[in-house]
């Protein structure tokens, strides 16, 4: 199986802030009276926080009001359906994470890239293997135990079509560790079982476990990345171990695929201006979402999504 998955990289945020801002949507004929942001996740999570953070910034740049509606049912499939069935006038947006593609690969999401097209990717969070340091201090400790005890190591995560399960499948196949996976209803349940010692590890983003890291209750020991993260130079990566998979949890914006390309370009320009703003970059830094550059425009994001979809479908076909 071909397991290479590469992200198209954008210029680092600091460089992006130094270049001239793109022409804003006000320079086009796109002037929506109002807009709706369908969020393919529940309130309070990473995708919801991302949406509500950029909402006022986007309103300012587009000169409109945006109503946020959370539609977490069926891994966000309802949000994707509502957006795909909306008028293709640019006034309905779908804010989604990588679950859009993982659930599509698993056959749980009827909406694909034929019905929804990407506007922009704003975040590319790095997935890490997270352990309880009382059980494993380093990845080498985890690896040694997994190799000595095949079939006994348990990884927890959210539902069967989640990006963390895809990470589990990729690691299991690449290493031959013979790991087991337990899906939980939510991230909190997985975290509780890791803390209590019921499971050996879980996959999560650094941004989501900051509190646990500060208290010493959780520790990321392996990054799904090409190179070691600047902020975490002691953490090994999948690629340096010879395992060619580097995906993470991405968050971006989608729109009805029948929308006029000029309208899509106008909204993309507005999002790029948001991304390059001091306010957005301050939010990203505070939430540890700047570990890896997040920005991709519509065309480049589509290429990454197509690569991810093929990779996840291949992973699942081997099960």
């Amino acid at each position: 199986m071909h397991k290479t998955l590469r992200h198209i990289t954008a210029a680092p945020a600091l460089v992006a802030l130094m270049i001239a801002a793109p022409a804003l949507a006000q320079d086009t004929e796109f002037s929506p009276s109002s807009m709706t942001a369908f969020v393919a996740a529940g309130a309070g999570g990473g995708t919801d926080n991302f949406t509500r953070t950029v909402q006022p910034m986007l309103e300012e740049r587009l000169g409109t009001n945006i109503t946020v509606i959370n539609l977490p049912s069926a891994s966000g499939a309802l949000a994707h359906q509502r957006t795909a069935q909306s008028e293709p006038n640019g006034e309905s947006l779908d804010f989604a994470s990588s679950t859009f593609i993982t659930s599509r690969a698993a056959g749980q999401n009827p909406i694909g890239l034929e019905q929804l097209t990407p506007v922009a990717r704003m975040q590319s969070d790095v997935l890490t293997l997270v352990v309880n340091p009382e059980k494993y201090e380093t990845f080498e400790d985890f690896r040694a135990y997994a190799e000595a005890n095949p079939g006994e190591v348990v990884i927890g995560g959210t539902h069967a079509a989640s990006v963390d399960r895809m990470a589990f499948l990729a690691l299991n196949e690449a290493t031959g560790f013979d790991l087991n996976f337990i899906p939980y209803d939510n991230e909190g349940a997985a975290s509780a079982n890791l803390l209590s010692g019921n499971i050996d590890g879980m996959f999560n983003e650094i941004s989501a476990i900051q509190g646990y890291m500060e208290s010493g209750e959780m520790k990321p020991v392996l990054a799904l990345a090409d190179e070691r993260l600047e902020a975490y130079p002691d953490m090994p990566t999948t690629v340096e171990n010879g395992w060619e998979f580097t995906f993470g949890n991405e968050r971006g914006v989608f729109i009805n695929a029948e929308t006029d390309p000029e309208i899509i370009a106008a909204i993309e320009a507005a999002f790029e201006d948001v991304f390059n703003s001091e306010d957005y970059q301050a939010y990203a830094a505070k939430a540890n979402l700047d570990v890896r550059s997040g920005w991709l425009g519509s065309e480049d994001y589509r290429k990454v999504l197509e690569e991810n979809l093929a990779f996840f479908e291949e992973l699942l076909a081997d099960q």
Side-chain angles (χ1 to χ4, degrees), residues 126 128 138-139 206 213 219-223 225-238 240-241 291:
V126 180
T128 63
T138 67
F139 177 68
I206 291 174
M213 290 172 61
K219 183 178 182 180
V221 294
L222 178 72
D226 293 282
E227 300 177 352
R228 295 201 176 195
L229 307 178
E230 184 177 349
Y232 303 92
D234 296 330
M235 192 192 325
T237 72
T238 48
E240 73 180 65
N241 277 280
V291 174

Side-chain angles (χ1 to χ4, degrees), residues 19 26 31 34-35 46-47 57 84 110 123 133 161 169 184 192 226 254 261 275 287 289 296 313 318:
I19 65 175
Q26 290 93 325
S31 301
S34 64
M35 298 179 73
T47 303
M57 304 179 192
Q123 298 174 3
L169 292 174
Y184 294 96
D226 293 282
F254 298 81
F275 181 85
L289 294 167
L296 282 181
E313 287 177 336
D318 292 340

Side-chain angles (χ1 to χ4, degrees), residues 88-295:
N89 56 10
E91 296 185 0
S92 296
L93 300 176
D94 182 8
F95 285 70
S97 69
S98 292
T99 301
F100 170 64
I101 287 297
T102 58
S103 61
R104 177 67 175 172
Q108 298 181 5
N109 170 22
I111 304 299
L113 293 171
E114 300 80 11
Q115 294 85 24
L116 289 182
T117 196
V119 175
R121 188 187 77 181
M122 299 286 281
Q123 298 174 3
S124 180
D125 221 342
V126 180
L127 271 180
T128 63
L129 174 64
V130 182
V131 300
N132 185 330
E134 292 186 359
K135 194 167 188 178
Y136 307 107
E137 180 61 30
T138 67
F139 177 68
E140 287 307 313
D141 293 338
F142 176 91
R143 182 175 190 167
Y145 186 84
E147 290 176 340
N149 299 275
E152 294 185 17
V153 175
V154 179
I155 303 296
T158 51
H159 56 86
S162 63
V163 69
D164 37 314
R165 179 168 182 257
M166 300 302 167
F168 158 79
L169 292 174
L171 182 68
N172 209 26
E173 180 171 300
T175 62
F177 283 168
D178 191 16
L179 309 173
N180 296 296
F181 184 83
I182 295 181
Y184 294 96
D185 291 337
N186 53 65
E187 184 180 305
S191 296
N193 278 274
L194 179 62
L195 294 174
S196 64
N198 292 331
I199 59 177
D200 296 276
M202 61 184 287
F203 284 96
N204 212 331
E205 303 91 14
I206 291 174
S207 60
I209 60 169
Q210 281 297 305
Y212 292 116
M213 290 172 61
E214 292 170 2
S215 67
E217 296 175 285
M218 290 186 185
K219 183 178 182 180
V221 294
L222 178 72
L224 277 61
D226 293 282
E227 300 177 352
R228 295 201 176 195
L229 307 178
E230 184 177 349
Y232 303 92
D234 296 330
M235 192 192 325
T237 72
T238 48
V239 172
E240 73 180 65
N241 277 280
W243 308 320
E244 298 291 329
F245 57 96
T246 62
F247 57 90
N249 194 12
E250 303 181 346
R251 297 185 182 91
V253 185
F254 298 81
I255 198 168
N256 187 318
E258 297 181 3
T259 305
D260 187 327
E262 291 189 2
I263 292 178
I264 296 175
I267 300 173
E268 177 188 346
F271 272 105
E272 186 171 9
D273 194 60
V274 167
F275 181 85
N276 290 336
S277 69
E278 291 184 5
D279 287 345
Y280 183 85
Q281 290 299 323
Y283 147 73
K286 183 177 181 180
N288 289 279
L289 294 167
D290 58 351
V291 174
R292 180 161 58 193
S293 181
W295 173 260

Side-chain angles (χ1 to χ4, degrees), residues 32-56:
S33 57
S34 64
M35 298 179 73
T36 301
F38 296 112
V39 184
T47 303
D48 180 63
N49 290 336
F50 154 59
T51 305
R52 295 180 188 277
T53 297
V54 303
Q55 176 189 4

